[in-house]
Amino acid sequence: MSIDKIKTGDDLTQSLDIVSDNISKLKELFPEAITEGKIDFKILQDILGNEIEEDDEFYRFTWAGKSQARREAHKPSTGTLRPCKEESVDWDKTRNVYIEGDNLEVLKLLQKSYSGKVKMVYADPPYNTGRDILYKNDFSDNLGNYLKLTNQTDDIGNILITNTDSSGRYHSNWLTMMYSRIRLSKNLLTQDGVFCIAIDHYELQNLIKICDEIFGEENKLGIIAVVHKPEGRNQSKFFGESHEYMLFYSKSKPNCFFNKVALDEEKRDEFNEKDEKGTFKRKNFIRLSDGKYSLRENKPDFYYPIYVSKDLKTMSIDIIDDSHIVFPITQVGQERTWKTTSDTAKVRIDDGTLFPVLENGSISIYEKLREDQVIKTHWINKKYHAYHFGTKVVDSLLDAKTFDFPKSLPLIIDTLKLILKDDDLVVDLFSGSGTTAHAVMEVNKENQSKIRYMVIQLPEPTEKSSEAFKSGYKNIADIGKERIRRASTKINEESKQSIFSSEIDLGFKVFKLDSSNIKGWDGQPENLENSLFESQDNIKSDRKEDDVLFEILLKYGLDLTLPIEEKVIEGKKVFNVGFGALFICLGNDLTSKVAEGIGQWKETLKPETCRVIFKDGGFTDVEKTNSVQTLKRFGIQEIKSI
């Protein structure tokens, strides 16, 4: 018996091959249109009939580079995310993740592990104002470009560009950058998930068009105007722009619901009563407004008795013996109407929404109003102002002027409250100063929830003349990580003084984008001659066991925050991932006794599925064969080597 070696080009050497995955889905729907793995478009056209668009002129949105951006979104990545424990906080326990890297490559690497598992994707991209730094759209070697940018290769290269409005492809450059990132983001969303993206007027109309195309116009939830600078932009020639926008799209609108929250603090204070379902405010069930329409003679169907038992514990539309009979009559004796018909009132009585109160010697009927106000499309509260609740928050935490135009912290807090519930995951594509991560911790503190975050930030170098650089922050990612560390310390101190005792996850695991840890998996050996001589050890010399461990997790499609346990078996370190879902041993001079130990460990954990991965050069052929036989005796069938 032999172990299957994972070779270059195998599915486990790269991120999800979305094209192949889509072909598989197409095969399930139209098997007759797939021949030897290829699509027969003639048959597909016959199946779809008149639904094929063949005219030259039809409604569509295109630009120079769109086809390339679409192809790039589907191209697998061979990169990896390397753990950086020394920059992390509470590594062993936290379920939050901070990733340094080009978000396009990172999104590709997340496809296997997080597809359909993210409740919300948030993006605050460059607005394309004519001065913004953009990711260079050179898809021939996206990972190589990133490594040059971060000085991981000798040639620095021109990886970032300033997209000036004098560029011949000013809008196209920005759209090409955004299209593939938004398309990959959609894959990560749960069926009830939400994509939220911030923008100003420069690219608003174009962003709406690409989001309509990717998510479907029917899944547009709304466009919010946020007043972030009430005094307006002083440098504007005509109108002083005082607001920005947030676009909300759902993965599937029928499955999507907002949480019942009141975003306005003044209105939130009105919800000062509480029952087993949460907070509420009471409101008289008699219709006291609406002029003549609240009078009995104009709406007779809304005038009927409600029966209340003497002890006030039972209410009904049907007659209750020896009960109070309550009509919609005001204190001054005017006959009005209830707010609903009797059928609807019965439903509200049954679900506990209506309740009786004895006051001034008579019975009044009240309804419980939850924090479920309709969210307006204009957010004008002063807490959304960027300078006072964004810039000053960051400056205060970091004791320096480090970041231009961070988002208002309360703005992101309220956005998260609308969408996320306990244990949901939010991904931020352009983390910047780390506002989303900070907001998640604040929401968890307030609601005693366990919302998780994964944020991504390109380590874009800070200008040497900037205050950030002078304060020791060499790149934007350094600013974000330090902001989260200090915010977590502050929240921890505040929590100690709170009456609540629940534990808040204030940590985060740091990962950094890099090329594969395995020689040959990225298809670009640094030195072909040397790699041939070193073929007995397929792991790059500058990489550690932890690096390989997390690459295997990613490419097997496992969560980066799964529990990992280490145990030494016969002198060799063995990793147990996800309570026995995966065992990894990368040691040398292995014997079948290591396999025996793994098998016994598996028997203790009793996982539903179990896989084992070794380093290919870790044992002799004889020991390799014996190890396979041993593991199969324990019911482990999937055994591979790298």
Side-chain angles (χ1 to χ4, degrees):
M1 297 182 181
S2 62
I3 298 177
D4 292 334
K5 184 176 180 180
I6 303 172
K7 299 179 181 178
T8 304
D10 188 284
D11 285 344
L12 292 176
T13 68
Q14 59 188 18
S15 63
L16 180 67
D17 187 335
I18 296 177
V19 172
S20 296
D21 190 54
N22 287 338
I23 291 175
S24 297
K25 293 174 182 176
L26 192 63
K27 186 176 182 179
E28 291 181 12
L29 293 172
F30 311 113
E32 63 270 43
I34 310 296
T35 303
E36 295 183 341
K38 304 293 184 181
I39 302 173
D40 189 325
F41 281 99
K42 181 65 172 67
I43 294 178
L44 191 60
Q45 184 171 353
D46 290 340
I47 295 171
L48 299 177
N50 295 331
E51 299 302 317
I52 301 293
E53 180 62 74
E54 296 181 320
D55 294 336
D56 291 334
E57 295 184 1
F58 59 92
Y59 182 76
R60 59 180 170 178
F61 180 51
T62 190
W63 64 89
K66 182 178 182 180
S67 296
Q68 187 183 24
R70 184 185 288 116
R71 287 193 297 270
E72 178 59 24
H74 293 153
K75 188 172 72 176
S77 173
T78 58
T80 190
L81 299 177
R82 296 178 65 186
C84 186
K85 293 185 179 181
E86 63 273 17
E87 295 183 23
S88 304
V89 175
D90 199 15
W91 175 274
D92 291 330
K93 294 182 180 179
T94 185
R95 298 174 69 202
N96 300 316
V97 176
Y98 189 105
I99 301 175
E100 283 189 30
D102 176 346
N103 51 21
L104 180 58
E105 286 296 298
V106 172
L107 280 169
K108 291 179 181 182
L109 293 173
L110 298 178
Q111 295 296 306
K112 285 183 181 179
S113 299
Y114 294 93
S115 179
K117 297 180 181 178
V118 176
K119 183 62 177 292
M120 175 183 175
V121 174
Y122 176 75
D124 184 16
Y127 284 0
N128 207 24
T129 61
R131 302 175 298 277
D132 289 315
I133 299 294
L134 299 187
Y135 297 70
K136 186 177 180 182
N137 292 319
D138 179 2
F139 296 139
S140 60
D141 184 13
N142 203 49
L143 180 59
N145 285 341
Y146 169 75
L147 298 178
K148 292 175 184 176
L149 170 67
T150 52
N151 297 327
Q152 294 181 51
T153 60
D154 294 334
D155 179 15
I156 300 302
N158 182 26
I159 309 307
L160 296 178
I161 60 171
T162 302
N163 196 38
T164 63
D165 49 16
S166 61
S167 167
R169 291 188 172 180
Y170 173 59
H171 293 292
S172 292
N173 288 339
W174 189 85
L175 287 167
T176 299
M177 182 195 76
M178 293 305 303
Y179 187 85
S180 49
R181 289 165 171 84
I182 296 175
R183 179 170 283 278
L184 288 172
S185 296
K186 180 185 176 184
N187 296 341
L188 299 183
L189 290 174
T190 57
Q191 282 303 305
D192 61 347
V194 174
F195 178 77
C196 175
I197 186 167
I199 200 66
D200 69 1
H201 64 286
Y202 283 95
E203 293 290 353
L204 175 63
Q205 69 276 23
N206 288 330
L207 183 60
I208 292 172
K209 288 177 181 177
I210 60 175
C211 286
D212 280 353
E213 177 179 320
I214 292 172
F215 289 94
E217 191 173 358
E218 69 277 7
N219 287 315
K220 184 189 298 175
L221 299 177
I223 301 173
I224 306 299
V226 183
V227 175
H228 71 111
K229 189 178 177 69
E231 69 276 16
R233 293 179 181 171
N234 296 327
Q235 68 272 30
S236 298
K237 184 176 181 181
F238 297 104
F239 295 105
E241 298 90 348
S242 61
H243 69 279
E244 295 179 339
Y245 303 91
M246 287 199 299
L247 278 58
F248 287 78
Y249 283 80
S250 62
K251 178 79 169 282
S252 171
K253 199 171 187 177
N255 295 312
C256 184
F257 296 93
F258 281 164
N259 295 327
K260 296 180 178 180
V261 294
L263 300 184
D264 192 316
E265 280 93 346
E266 294 177 1
K267 292 185 177 180
R268 189 182 301 155
D269 291 340
E270 298 174 4
F271 298 87
N272 53 10
E273 297 190 61
K274 192 171 185 178
D275 62 10
E276 67 280 358
K277 294 182 180 180
T279 57
F280 66 91
K281 69 175 180 179
R282 65 172 65 181
K283 195 166 186 179
N284 205 314
F285 192 50
I286 297 177
R287 190 180 297 278
L288 297 174
S289 58
D290 292 348
K292 65 179 182 179
Y293 294 107
S294 64
L295 302 178
R296 174 183 179 180
E297 59 266 29
N298 294 322
K299 299 190 76 174
D301 290 344
F302 287 70
Y303 186 89
Y304 49 86
I306 294 178
Y307 299 89
V308 181
S309 65
K310 295 295 185 180
D311 60 4
L312 304 185
K313 292 182 178 180
T314 305
M315 289 176 59
S316 178
I317 298 301
D318 301 319
I319 296 175
I320 300 176
D321 293 336
D322 191 27
S323 62
H324 298 286
I325 303 174
V326 186
F327 284 94
I329 300 175
T330 66
Q331 292 290 329
V332 296
Q334 187 177 40
E335 293 183 337
R336 289 188 173 263
T337 62
W338 300 119
K339 291 182 178 177
T340 71
T341 64
S342 59
D343 288 342
T344 302
K346 184 179 187 307
V347 173
R348 295 191 180 184
I349 290 172
D350 291 342
D351 68 15
T353 300
L354 297 183
F355 66 102
V357 175
L358 178 62
E359 51 187 13
N360 299 322
S362 62
I363 303 293
S364 298
I365 306 298
Y366 284 93
E367 59 181 330
K368 298 176 181 180
L369 295 184
R370 305 288 177 183
E371 296 184 73
D372 57 355
Q373 66 189 73
V374 175
I375 306 301
K376 309 300 187 296
T377 56
H378 59 288
W379 293 13
I380 59 176
N381 196 300
K382 64 181 181 181
K383 65 181 177 178
Y384 301 141
H385 297 176
Y387 177 70
H388 292 286
F389 297 93
T391 302
K392 293 185 76 172
V393 169
V394 178
D395 290 354
S396 175
L397 278 172
L398 298 181
D399 300 317
K401 171 66 177 174
T402 56
F403 200 88
D404 293 329
F405 313 120
K407 280 287 182 288
S408 156
L409 179 61
L411 171 64
I412 305 304
I413 288 174
D414 282 355
T415 304
L416 299 181
K417 284 182 176 180
L418 266 184
I419 299 164
L420 302 175
K421 293 183 178 180
D422 198 25
D423 210 41
D424 281 339
L425 172 63
V426 57
V427 172
D428 186 342
L429 303 184
F430 300 84
S431 178
S433 69
T435 305
T436 297
H438 188 171
V440 166
M441 293 187 290
E442 292 285 358
V443 172
N444 285 339
K445 180 187 74 173
E446 179 180 339
N447 294 343
Q448 304 300 293
S449 53
K450 295 182 179 180
I451 296 168
R452 298 166 290 139
Y453 66 77
M454 175 183 289
V455 299
I456 308 168
Q457 178 57 45
L458 186 77
E460 177 187 332
T462 53
E463 295 286 344
K464 292 186 177 180
S465 59
S466 68
E467 290 299 315
F469 187 88
K470 294 175 183 176
S471 298
Y473 302 105
K474 306 305 181 187
N475 59 63
I476 300 299
D478 287 345
I479 296 173
K481 286 178 291 187
E482 185 60 20
R483 187 249 181 104
I484 300 170
R485 292 187 193 102
R486 297 196 184 192
S488 66
T489 300
K490 183 172 182 288
I491 291 170
N492 186 44
E493 291 301 315
E494 293 170 348
S495 298
K496 290 178 181 178
Q497 302 171 15
S498 171
I499 61 174
F500 300 107
S501 60
S502 65
E503 295 183 3
I504 306 171
D505 186 349
L506 300 174
F508 59 96
K509 297 177 186 284
V510 176
F511 292 89
K512 298 187 179 184
L513 178 66
D514 210 327
S515 60
S516 173
N517 300 290
I518 313 301
K519 297 172 186 175
W521 279 17
D522 52 17
Q524 298 175 349
E526 297 170 7
N527 187 313
L528 181 59
E529 184 178 354
N530 286 342
S531 69
L532 291 174
F533 283 109
E534 298 171 1
S535 60
Q536 71 274 14
D537 190 347
N538 202 26
I539 300 172
K540 293 178 180 177
S541 59
D542 62 336
R543 306 301 171 91
K544 302 176 182 177
E545 281 186 322
D546 278 355
D547 296 328
V548 180
L549 169 65
F550 281 97
E551 178 166 9
I552 293 171
L553 257 67
L554 268 180
K555 291 175 178 176
Y556 255 109
L558 300 176
D559 192 305
L560 287 170
T561 62
L562 277 176
I564 299 174
E565 187 179 357
E566 295 181 20
K567 183 185 286 188
V568 175
I569 299 176
E570 295 294 320
K572 310 301 178 184
K573 185 186 296 184
V574 177
F575 298 97
N576 157 28
V577 182
F579 305 107
L582 177 66
F583 290 97
I584 300 173
C585 181
L586 303 173
N588 294 313
D589 302 319
L590 301 178
T591 68
S592 60
K593 291 183 179 180
V594 175
E596 180 79 24
I598 292 174
Q600 292 173 356
W601 199 359
K602 178 256 186 184
E603 289 293 286
T604 302
L605 297 169
K606 294 181 170 55
E608 290 185 12
T609 60
C610 182
R611 294 159 287 195
V612 178
I613 291 184
F614 295 106
K615 184 168 68 172
D616 193 63
F619 30 28
T620 64
D621 290 341
V622 172
E623 290 295 345
K624 187 182 296 184
T625 300
N626 292 339
S627 295
V628 172
Q629 292 175 332
T630 300
L631 292 173
K632 288 187 179 294
R633 179 161 48 84
F634 285 97
I636 302 173
Q637 300 300 319
E638 186 172 338
I639 309 160
K640 295 183 181 291
S641 67
I642 57 174

